[in-house]
Amino acid sequence: MVCCLPGARIGGVTERLQGILKGESDKTEVMVHVGINDIGRKRDEVLHKEFRELGSNLKSKASRVVISGLPPVPCANEYRNRRIAQMNVWLTNWCMREGFKFLNHWDCFWRRWDLYKENSLYLNQSGTEIPTSAVGRSLN
């Protein structure tokens, strides 16, 4: 199953998770790519809390959870990209503690602004192929 929620934030994914996974088996494998829309709006402590809540919900509904790391943002200033990188460090450690797989894409996207839609923090078609192929490899 694939579900895309463009512009979604961590809390929104958590709220919609039950409906999205309704009818899925307990052997469902879930990959979540969320957080880039939250990073400029909330303090790290709030983001950590929201990720923990999302993780708790995922653990109860999926056999395996993959968290996709946050990519750098081409139109962001140095401070924002530093916060994104720090959030990825936190996510890496948190995923290890929770038994989730973490996919770090930072190096794949750093200074590869051709993988983004023009003037955007969103990936273009070529950019989306990187996490998609990484997910396929991680689930096999």
Side-chain angles (χ1 to χ4, degrees), residues 71-77 81 109-110 112-123:
V73 175
C75 56
N77 59 32
N81 275 327
F109 293 109
W110 183 245
R112 290 292 316 276
W113 309 141
D114 58 305
L115 298 174
Y116 292 81
K117 294 179 181 176
E118 190 173 336
N119 297 320
S120 179
L121 54 86
Y122 301 110
L123 301 172

Side-chain angles (χ1 to χ4, degrees), residues 71-138:
V73 175
C75 56
N77 59 32
E78 182 181 339
Y79 171 76
R80 184 167 179 184
N81 275 327
R82 191 174 330 118
R83 272 197 73 204
I84 294 168
Q86 290 168 344
M87 183 58 63
N88 281 334
V89 169
W90 183 86
L91 285 168
T92 300
N93 294 323
W94 174 70
C95 285
M96 244 187 313
R97 285 191 309 272
E98 296 298 319
F100 300 157
K101 172 99 173 141
F102 180 75
L103 298 178
N104 189 352
H105 312 291
W106 185 271
D107 291 339
C108 298
F109 293 109
W110 183 245
R111 300 205 188 280
R112 290 292 316 276
W113 309 141
D114 58 305
L115 298 174
Y116 292 81
K117 294 179 181 176
E118 190 173 336
N119 297 320
S120 179
L121 54 86
Y122 301 110
L123 301 172
N124 61 26
Q125 186 64 40
S126 297
T128 60
E129 291 173 10
I130 292 171
T132 302
S133 64
V135 168
R137 287 190 306 274
S138 75

